[in-house]
Amino acid sequence: MMSHVLVLMAPQPGALPAERIAKIMAPSSAEQFGPLRWLHHATACEFDWTPSQAKRSDTGSLKDCPPNTLLDTAHADGIDIALIPSKDRQNMLLLSDMDSTMIQQECIDELADFAGLKSQVATITQRAMNGELDFAAALTERVALLAGLPISTLQTVVDLRLQLMPGARTLVQTMKANAAHCVLVSGGFTYFTKAIAEQIGFDATFANTLEITDGHLTGRVIPPILGAQAKLETLNRCLSEKSLSSTHTIAVGDGANDLPMIEAAGLGVAFRAHPVLAGRADVVIQHCDLTALLHLQGYTRDEFVD
């Protein structure tokens, strides 16, 4: 059976002292863990977990692993926790969603604000990201409401509305410094993915293209629409091009359209995600920023490239 490491991470530096770790680990005191190793002193740490104690040793998930209370105890205490296969932890391919993952906003909702329709569009976005609506149909419906907006609105959104998710640039720059290929794959729009990729340092981007005529949005997306299946196809294509196996891949997202690539990746991470994704990902990050994905791969804070 595959050996694992148990990783604990706090959202603020110094917020994971030894006594807090002991409190979290108390429900599993009968289990045999290896010695504590600091990834970031008093902030992130890991323990070896022997194979016999991992019921889902093939996935590295805590959901069905004893003790079940460990996951609940950590999250209730504001700590992120994950059970990760210890072999080949540093991945060579990162695939990431953009909206509400690499950035804090949903671009289409911010565009809709300039049309006076943010509340209406945001409601559809929320339902689509939780898997309640067909993604392509929901995207088509929302984009139709944007017809007539001048293309200058796109740059206004980039300049005034979009904020990087904390840890986004550090995640990508650190992985690139260690020879990983980083790809931004979004069900959003190329205008925004290009701008965000340049800020963060992604190697490639894939997204949908808004149709523009006479300097204004027509309310249509140029087909084909990039959704869940296209994200999975992008993952598989990148693996083929880089001659990698899925075990060398980490994928991160927050919504239903990320689910196929999250499940196909060697390590699938739900980041502050909707329940439909959080319930099926290998790892759920609820509290920490995106640098948590580096600790999952065994990087110490001293190895981060800021």
Side-chain angles (χ1 to χ4, degrees):
M1 296 178 69
M2 189 182 298
S3 60
H4 288 72
V5 291
L6 186 72
V7 185
L8 287 79
M9 301 165 287
Q12 294 89 29
L16 192 63
E19 56 269 24
R20 192 175 187 185
I21 296 171
K23 174 186 173 184
I24 293 169
M25 300 291 282
S28 59
S29 58
E31 303 294 331
Q32 297 298 312
F33 296 94
L36 178 151
R37 294 190 297 273
W38 288 114
L39 298 168
H40 183 187
H41 185 70
T43 307
C45 68
E46 64 182 30
F47 303 84
D48 291 325
W49 191 338
T50 59
S52 62
Q53 293 152 331
K55 287 173 63 179
R56 287 186 62 185
S57 61
D58 57 326
T59 64
S61 173
L62 275 173
K63 292 184 179 64
D64 297 317
C65 288
N68 291 330
T69 54
L70 189 57
L71 182 64
D72 294 336
T73 300
H75 280 166
D77 201 36
I79 298 298
D80 285 317
I81 185 170
L83 186 65
I84 306 295
S86 58
K87 184 179 179 181
D88 298 327
R89 287 174 68 188
Q90 293 191 359
N91 293 283
M92 300 308 297
L93 177 64
L94 166 68
L95 261 74
S96 176
D97 176 43
M98 183 179 72
D99 295 50
S100 298
T101 303
M102 285 292 143
I103 61 174
Q104 299 179 48
Q105 293 75 31
E106 293 284 338
C107 292
I108 196 166
D109 296 355
E110 300 306 317
L111 276 176
D113 196 22
F114 288 90
L117 297 169
K118 184 172 184 177
S119 178
Q120 179 179 346
V121 169
T123 298
I124 300 171
T125 300
Q126 179 76 8
R127 294 186 64 199
M129 290 302 98
N130 202 40
E132 299 172 27
L133 301 172
D134 176 76
F135 177 80
L139 184 66
T140 300
E141 179 183 358
R142 287 175 289 164
V143 171
L145 296 172
L146 306 179
L149 278 179
I151 59 173
S152 59
T153 308
L154 302 177
Q155 191 59 44
T156 301
V157 169
V158 171
D159 293 340
L160 301 181
R161 298 294 183 86
L162 303 189
Q163 298 172 296
L164 298 184
M165 193 67 73
R169 181 171 170 80
T170 299
L171 168 63
V172 171
Q173 291 298 318
T174 301
M175 290 190 66
K176 288 181 63 177
N178 287 272
H181 186 66
C182 299
V183 179
L184 188 63
V185 55
S186 172
F189 310 115
T190 53
Y191 192 96
F192 301 116
T193 56
K194 180 180 178 181
I196 296 303
E198 289 177 353
Q199 291 182 47
I200 297 177
F202 278 93
D203 297 301
T205 67
F206 300 91
N208 293 301
T209 303
L210 291 165
E211 185 180 71
I212 297 170
T213 299
D214 298 328
H216 293 78
L217 302 185
T218 67
R220 293 186 291 272
V221 179
I222 297 175
I225 289 178
L226 188 153
Q229 184 61 31
K231 289 190 175 190
L232 175 60
E233 290 170 358
T234 300
L235 168 62
N236 290 331
R237 184 171 62 252
C238 289
L239 291 175
S240 177
E241 291 173 352
K242 299 296 178 181
S243 299
L244 296 171
S245 73
S246 61
T247 57
H248 298 115
T249 302
I250 182 170
V252 58
D254 74 299
N257 66 325
D258 299 310
L259 184 56
M261 76 169 183
I262 293 292
E263 291 189 319
L267 184 62
V269 181
F271 182 78
R272 303 179 187 178
H274 295 267
V276 66
L277 182 63
R280 294 172 65 177
D282 296 321
V283 176
V284 177
I285 301 298
Q286 295 181 343
H287 309 288
C288 297
D289 67 25
L290 285 167
T291 59
L293 275 68
L294 294 172
H295 288 318
L296 294 178
Q297 297 178 76
Y299 288 100
T300 66
R301 179 63 184 85
D302 291 342
E303 295 175 301
F304 288 7
V305 178
D306 295 316

